[in-house]
DNA sequence: GCCAACGTTGGC
DNA sequence: GCCAACGTTGGC
C-alpha cells in the first residue's frame, strides 16, 4: 500500500468535481512530467490512498482524500490533436504519457493549508515542502496519517 | 500578475 | 553531453 499527493487547480478540477463525476471517478489525464508519469505508470496500485491537493488556490492545501481505482494506462488525450494536452510524439502505438483513475473518498471539513503543513515538524521532509513543482508525488504513511488527523 | 524554481528542448 | 534559452508551475 502506497500513499500519494496529487495536485489540481480547484478552478479547473477540484475535489468537488471529483465527487460529482460519474462513479465519483475520473482519469487523471494531462500529466506531462516524466517523474509524475513514472509514478502513475509503474508504482501506483489499485487501493493506494491519495491526498487531493488544491494548487493555485486560496489557500493552497489538502482538500480531501481519494483512492486509486485503475492502474496506469495510456493517456489518450496525448494523441488527440486539438486537445490542449496533445503531444505529437505520443501515439496509440507508442504512448508517451500515462494516467490512473482515482475515486472520491471524502472532502475534508476544512482545507489543510500549505502554511499549516509547514508548521508541523514531522512533515518537514514531505516532497511537497521540498520539491514543490511535482504534481504527483509519494507521501509517507506517517505523513498521510498526520494530515488525516489534522482534518479530524 | 510577478517571478523564482526548475524541467525540457535543441544547437553545438 | 553540455548548457543557454525557453516554458511551466505554483506560491505570493
Amino acid at each position: 500500500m502506497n500513499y500519494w499527493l496529487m495536485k489540481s487547480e480547484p478552478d479547473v478540477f477540484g475535489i468537488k468535481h471529483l465527487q460529482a463525476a460519474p462513479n465519483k471517478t475520473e482519469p487523471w489525464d494531462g500529466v506531462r512530467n516524466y517523474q509524475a508519469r513514472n509514478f502513475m505508470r509503474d508504482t501506483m496500485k489499485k487501493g493506494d490512498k491519495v491526498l487531493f491537493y488544491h494548487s493555485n488556490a486560496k489557500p493552497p492545501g489538502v482538500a480531501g482524500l481519494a483512492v486509486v481505482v485503475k492502474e496506469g494506462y495510456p493517456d489518450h488525450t496525448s494523441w488527440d490533436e486539438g486537445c490542449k494536452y496533445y503531444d505529437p510524439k505520443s501515439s496509440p502505438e507508442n504512448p508517451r504519457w500515462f494516467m490512473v483513475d482515482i475515486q472520491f473518498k471524502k472532502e475534508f471539513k476544512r482545507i489543510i493549508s500549505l502554511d499549516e503543513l509547514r508548521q508541523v515538524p514531522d512533515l518537514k521532509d514531505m516532497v511537497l515542502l521540498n520539491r514543490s513543482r511535482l504534481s504527483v508525488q509519494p507521501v509517507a504513511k506517517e505523513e498521510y496519517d498526520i494530515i488525516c488527523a489534522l482534518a479530524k
Side-chain angles (χ1 to χ4, degrees), chain A residues 6 11 17:
Chain A
M6 299 173 84
D11 294 344
H17 295 98

Side-chain angles (χ1 to χ4, degrees), chain A residues 5-7 51 53-55 60-62 112-115 117-118 123-135 137-139 143 147:
Chain A
L5 182 144
M6 299 173 84
K7 295 184 193 173
L51 297 168
Y53 181 89
H54 282 174
S55 62
V62 180
I112 310 303
S113 71
L114 178 61
D115 194 52
L117 299 177
R118 282 204 252 260
L123 295 180
K124 69 171 172 21
D125 293 330
M126 273 191 83
V127 177
L128 180 71
L129 305 183
N130 297 290
R131 288 272 327 282
S132 62
R133 292 188 50 200
L134 190 58
S135 67
Q137 53 179 259
V139 171
E143 295 164 350
I147 290 165

Side-chain angles (χ1 to χ4, degrees), chain A residues 5-76:
Chain A
L5 182 144
M6 299 173 84
K7 295 184 193 173
S8 188
E9 303 190 22
D11 294 344
V12 179
F13 190 85
I15 186 106
K16 288 184 195 305
H17 295 98
L18 183 61
Q19 185 173 21
N23 297 323
K24 301 185 177 185
T25 299
E26 192 76 10
W28 204 259
D29 60 13
V31 171
R32 298 291 179 267
N33 168 281
Y34 288 105
Q35 220 181 337
R37 176 204 68 181
N38 292 346
F39 285 133
M40 293 200 290
R41 187 188 59 188
D42 305 332
T43 320
M44 290 180 93
K45 297 297 169 197
K46 219 171 176 174
D48 281 2
K49 295 179 176 180
V50 175
L51 297 168
F52 195 111
Y53 181 89
H54 282 174
S55 62
N56 261 317
K58 293 175 185 173
V62 180
L65 302 176
V67 61
V68 176
V69 291
K70 183 171 177 180
E71 294 175 10
Y73 63 106
D75 179 349
H76 59 81

Side-chain angles (χ1 to χ4, degrees), chain A residues 79-91:
Chain A
W79 58 74
D80 176 7
E81 211 166 340
C83 177
K84 67 170 179 166
Y85 298 129
Y86 176 63
D87 178 352
K89 290 174 182 156
S90 185
S91 66

Side-chain angles (χ1 to χ4, degrees), chain A residues 19 49 53 98 122 141 148:
Chain A
Q19 185 173 21
K49 295 179 176 180
Y53 181 89
F98 287 73
D122 286 344
K141 179 182 192 309
C148 288

